[in-house]
Amino acid sequence: MPLRTKLALVVILLCGLIATSTKLYAQDAAQPAPNVVVNSDGTVQIPSYAVPLSSFLSPDAKTYVTDHMREMQDPELVKQDQGVPRFMKRYLERDEALFALERKDVSLGGVHTYTYSPRAGISDKNKARVLINLHGGGFSGCWPGCAELESMPISALMKIKVVTVDYREGPDNKFPAASEDVASVYRELLKTYKPQDIGIYGCSAGGMLTAMSLAWFQTHGLPTPGAVGIYCASAGAFGGDATYIAFPFGEGRMPPAHPPAQSQLGYFGGTDMKDPLVSPMNSPEILAKFPPTLLITGTRDFAMSGTIHTDAELTKRGVKAELHVWDGLFHGFFYNADVPESQDAFNVMISFFDRNLGTK
Amino acid sequence: MPLRTKLALVVILLCGLIATSTKLYAQDAAQPAPNVVVNSDGTVQIPSYAVPLSSFLSPDAKTYVTDHMREMQDPELVKQDQGVPRFMKRYLERDEALFALERKDVSLGGVHTYTYSPRAGISDKNKARVLINLHGGGFSGCWPGCAELESMPISALMKIKVVTVDYREGPDNKFPAASEDVASVYRELLKTYKPQDIGIYGCSAGGMLTAMSLAWFQTHGLPTPGAVGIYCASAGAFGGDATYIAFPFGEGRMPPAHPPAQSQLGYFGGTDMKDPLVSPMNSPEILAKFPPTLLITGTRDFAMSGTIHTDAELTKRGVKAELHVWDGLFHGFFYNADVPESQDAFNVMISFFDRNLGTK
């Protein structure tokens, strides 16, 4: 869309709320817009409609989002081979080409990790610092696929050591196995690093586990780390508007009508989901002790609402929360390092940890 | 929705991107979800569907959003009486009951303003500070309705003087009349206040004018103020996903299919919309000189995409941008001071100016 058209749209939109809207709509009377029905409980029934890609996306991202929605419609492409969803394979190949890293298999506190270091060396100021990555994958997979995609760009671009944790997942393991594993790795790293020099971050299940780990540390005598990143995730429930935006806009399918019963949920089977160790959002006291927290999402991410709600609650509790949302992008969009928006997100992540680690 | 259900949904959503989604959908095979069609240009064709209120809203906000969507469907209620949209009248009455303020008609630099001071007195630390409010209303109305709703809660709750500017609007006046008026008021206030002690903020057209004013000051020999708030607005184009979310989800109607030509747009008629004085987003150099900037929006605000894109661009230019997004809430939601989410937004606004004014 040319800029003049876009800016014309601005003014229409600015006028949308006020009296002129009546006039604007009257001009379109020959083709009346189909009605949205507002029910008494506030549910809106929306007629079938077409939604284009976000006008704010880069050309590369436009191709990326189109491809992603089509891939999400193919059940074969979301299957995992050795912990790597098929549609993510090409992102992993690109990371291997782009980022010169040394990867070591390391056991830390008895837990398996991959430890990445940039071949060009760790920067002077980052020698005293380390990042722990907790990978996405619904607590039931995506090791090592998601772990590598979340760790490699950050280790290389920030010139820092990143330890990504092969924490225990469902359905074979149950809560709190993953929290225990994160605590074991953290305790081991505390022998070398000060807590204020350790950052923890993750996307999706890994973002949720980052929040859960903070609650776990608080209740198990461990110090709070210097800063954390909760990406494409919440410190509690997801839900909200994002369910109804992200699936049709970002995944090419309708939202699930009936979530299966909790007993089917693998890792959290038998768990009291109200427990603040699972959902720190349920405890204002625990939230208030969060360190500086970076929150990242996109408007087509099914975790958007949970992410922004976490920002709102942390802010209310006096925590230094920093939120950034990318328009038109979906859950875990930055797994593709070639897209300019992913590079912007990496820069935000790196700047955040650089500003917030080691400052206590 | 009970918490257990919400948290069950979390895990479903976490699993959505990965292999388990295939299985989850298979369980629902008896009632297959209607298909979303993804076109080759990335446009999605979404079947008719029902969207409930956000699960994150307070009970008061649920009623508020339901009422708002119904009111937006009534052309009579969006009409203005003496600059007050009819549906906003009750919010104004509540502000008058809630906030004890002294309002003065003051001409500053030849421009008409209302100047609010709390009857309980300006706080000691705010005696050297002042806020300028630039009201919403599409550059064509909503004085004094929007001006009062944006100024009264902040003046009373922050215990600070707020000057809200009756700037010239369209269609009788054209760009840059409003920017000139803001500059005249600002120049007058600079005789009493230091620039770092002056904050500027506004919602919708007023948020856009806040950004435009910064560009105007930079090119007309005026210093940069201490901090600004761009609410429900962008420093450039709106557009993006929000157009397709906010109208059906937040205004009870479909997005306009064909924006009218630019010549119909009143205040910007005949203006080159690429001009950075209209759209600062077009100039990285101007953006880089923005002071700390607070950005506020909601997921059902048609300005959401523009607001979050402004945050992303400011952040990229090294500006201290602070973004907060409320789930399930619409354009200018905080005009209703009774809703808990509005009170949270006021607290964020007050804390932001308190932290950022007078710190240079």
Side-chain angles (χ1 to χ4, degrees):
Chain A
M1 183 158 56
L3 190 68
R4 286 179 86 89
T5 318
K6 268 204 272 187
L7 277 155
L9 189 58
V10 168
V11 181
I12 305 306
L13 292 173
L14 281 168
C15 297
L17 195 64
I18 53 166
T20 47
S21 67
T22 316
K23 202 167 65 188
L24 291 176
Y25 274 88
Q27 290 167 350
D28 209 27
Q31 276 195 310
N35 285 331
V36 172
V37 177
V38 182
N39 294 337
S40 58
D41 69 350
T43 299
V44 286
Q45 185 68 43
I46 304 171
S48 175
Y49 73 133
V51 176
L53 294 170
S54 165
S55 52
F56 290 119
L57 292 177
S58 68
D60 282 356
K62 285 186 175 172
T63 305
Y64 176 40
V65 175
T66 306
D67 290 349
H68 177 77
M69 289 192 289
R70 298 192 145 190
E71 286 165 354
M72 289 302 98
Q73 294 185 324
D74 182 350
E76 290 300 310
L77 287 179
V78 293
K79 286 186 184 161
Q80 296 184 24
D81 299 321
Q82 290 85 48
V84 183
R86 289 172 188 171
F87 77 94
M88 289 187 193
K89 263 179 203 160
R90 66 178 190 281
Y91 310 148
L92 207 45
E93 284 163 11
R94 285 293 295 151
D95 276 9
E96 279 157 11
L98 288 167
F99 305 119
L101 293 159
E102 185 182 24
R103 186 185 87 187
K104 288 185 182 163
D105 264 274
V106 181
S107 174
L108 287 173
V111 177
H112 178 234
T113 71
Y114 282 167
T115 297
Y116 286 97
S117 302
R119 288 201 186 277
I122 291 168
S123 73
D124 282 347
K125 71 176 163 184
N126 285 335
K127 281 181 178 142
R129 297 164 162 181
V130 67
L131 294 177
I132 299 173
N133 168 248
L134 306 175
H135 70 88
F139 292 99
S140 62
C142 217
W143 172 275
C146 292
E148 304 217 88
L149 289 170
E150 294 175 30
S151 300
M152 293 175 72
I154 301 305
S155 178
L157 297 170
M158 190 172 172
K159 299 185 173 54
I160 193 168
K161 184 184 281 189
V162 177
V163 174
T164 183
V165 182
D166 186 10
Y167 58 82
R168 282 171 290 165
E169 299 192 283
D172 295 342
N173 302 285
K174 305 285 178 200
F175 172 83
S179 300
E180 289 169 349
D181 287 351
V182 177
S184 296
V185 170
Y186 184 55
R187 200 177 279 112
E188 189 64 28
L189 289 173
L190 283 169
K191 295 176 183 169
T192 313
Y193 300 92
K194 294 178 189 160
Q196 61 266 37
D197 289 326
I198 302 178
I200 308 183
Y201 72 96
C203 172
S204 196
M208 190 177 165
L209 183 56
T210 297
M212 291 165 64
S213 298
L214 293 174
W216 189 265
F217 298 167
Q218 285 184 28
T219 51
H220 290 78
L222 285 164
T224 295
V228 299
I230 298 175
Y231 311 150
C232 8
S234 159
F238 284 37
D241 279 353
T243 310
Y244 299 89
I245 300 167
F247 283 97
F249 287 46
E251 309 291 330
R253 54 196 164 90
M254 297 309 289
H258 306 289
Q262 197 189 326
S263 61
Q264 296 173 264
L265 297 178
Y267 181 70
F268 291 108
T271 302
D272 176 5
M273 301 303 284
K274 286 184 207 156
D275 185 343
L277 296 177
V278 174
S279 185
M281 289 281 270
N282 289 340
S283 168
E285 297 73 23
I286 286 177
L287 280 188
K289 291 183 206 144
F290 270 35
T293 302
L294 176 63
L295 298 137
I296 283 181
T297 185
T299 55
R300 299 187 182 199
D301 174 3
F302 52 74
M304 172 181 66
S305 298
T307 309
I308 64 177
H309 190 58
T310 300
D311 167 70
E313 288 296 308
L314 286 173
T315 300
K316 206 190 292 190
R317 306 303 163 200
V319 173
K320 190 176 159 191
E322 187 174 321
L323 171 70
H324 300 282
V325 186
W326 271 265
D327 199 58
L329 285 164
F330 51 82
H331 194 65
F333 68 88
F334 49 79
Y335 281 1
N336 177 348
D338 279 319
V339 172
E341 285 86 343
S342 298
Q343 293 156 12
D344 290 344
F346 296 151
N347 285 334
V348 163
M349 296 167 185
I350 290 167
S351 160
F352 171 80
F353 280 113
D354 194 47
R355 279 179 283 117
N356 289 290
L357 287 185
T359 58
K360 269 185 227 169
Chain B
M1 185 158 56
L3 190 67
R4 287 180 86 88
T5 317
K6 269 204 274 187
L7 277 154
L9 189 58
V10 169
V11 182
I12 304 306
L13 291 174
L14 281 168
C15 296
L17 195 64
I18 54 165
T20 46
S21 66
T22 316
K23 201 166 66 188
L24 292 176
Y25 274 88
Q27 290 167 349
D28 209 25
Q31 278 195 310
N35 286 330
V36 172
V37 178
V38 182
N39 295 338
S40 57
D41 68 349
T43 299
V44 286
Q45 184 68 44
I46 304 171
S48 175
Y49 74 133
V51 176
L53 293 170
S54 165
S55 52
F56 290 120
L57 292 178
S58 68
D60 283 355
K62 285 185 177 172
T63 306
Y64 177 38
V65 175
T66 306
D67 290 348
H68 177 77
M69 289 191 291
R70 297 192 148 193
E71 287 165 353
M72 288 302 99
Q73 293 186 325
D74 182 350
E76 288 302 309
L77 286 179
V78 293
K79 286 186 183 160
Q80 296 184 24
D81 300 320
Q82 291 85 50
V84 182
R86 291 173 187 170
F87 76 94
M88 290 186 193
K89 263 179 204 162
R90 66 178 191 279
Y91 310 148
L92 205 46
E93 284 163 11
R94 285 294 295 151
D95 276 10
E96 279 157 11
L98 289 167
F99 305 118
L101 292 159
E102 184 181 24
R103 185 185 87 185
K104 288 186 184 163
D105 263 274
V106 181
S107 174
L108 286 173
V111 178
H112 178 234
T113 70
Y114 282 167
T115 297
Y116 287 97
S117 303
R119 288 199 186 277
I122 292 168
S123 74
D124 282 347
K125 70 176 164 185
N126 286 336
K127 281 182 179 144
R129 297 164 162 179
V130 67
L131 295 177
I132 299 173
N133 169 248
L134 306 174
H135 70 89
F139 292 100
S140 62
C142 217
W143 173 274
C146 292
E148 304 216 89
L149 291 169
E150 295 175 30
S151 301
M152 293 174 71
I154 301 305
S155 177
L157 297 170
M158 190 172 173
K159 299 183 172 56
I160 193 167
K161 184 183 281 188
V162 177
V163 174
T164 184
V165 182
D166 186 9
Y167 59 81
R168 282 172 289 164
E169 299 191 284
D172 296 341
N173 301 284
K174 305 286 178 199
F175 171 82
S179 300
E180 288 170 348
D181 287 350
V182 177
S184 296
V185 170
Y186 185 54
R187 201 176 280 114
E188 189 64 28
L189 290 172
L190 284 169
K191 295 177 183 169
T192 312
Y193 301 91
K194 294 179 190 161
Q196 61 266 35
D197 289 326
I198 302 178
I200 307 182
Y201 72 96
C203 172
S204 197
M208 191 176 166
L209 183 56
T210 297
M212 290 165 65
S213 298
L214 292 174
W216 188 265
F217 298 167
Q218 285 183 29
T219 51
H220 291 78
L222 285 164
T224 295
V228 299
I230 298 175
Y231 311 150
C232 10
S234 159
F238 284 39
D241 279 354
T243 309
Y244 299 90
I245 300 167
F247 283 97
F249 287 48
E251 308 291 330
R253 52 194 164 93
M254 299 309 288
H258 306 288
Q262 197 191 325
S263 59
Q264 296 173 264
L265 298 178
Y267 181 71
F268 291 108
T271 302
D272 177 5
M273 301 302 284
K274 287 183 204 153
D275 185 342
L277 295 178
V278 175
S279 185
M281 288 282 270
N282 289 339
S283 168
E285 296 74 23
I286 286 177
L287 281 187
K289 291 182 209 146
F290 270 34
T293 301
L294 176 63
L295 297 136
I296 283 182
T297 185
T299 56
R300 299 187 182 198
D301 175 3
F302 52 74
M304 172 181 66
S305 298
T307 309
I308 63 177
H309 190 57
T310 300
D311 167 71
E313 288 296 308
L314 287 172
T315 301
K316 205 191 291 191
R317 307 301 163 201
V319 173
K320 189 176 162 192
E322 187 174 322
L323 171 70
H324 300 283
V325 186
W326 271 266
D327 199 59
L329 285 165
F330 51 83
H331 193 64
F333 68 88
F334 49 78
Y335 280 2
N336 177 346
D338 279 318
V339 173
E341 286 85 341
S342 298
Q343 293 156 12
D344 290 343
F346 297 151
N347 286 334
V348 163
M349 296 168 185
I350 290 166
S351 161
F352 171 81
F353 280 112
D354 193 48
R355 280 180 282 116
N356 288 290
L357 287 184
T359 58
K360 270 185 228 169

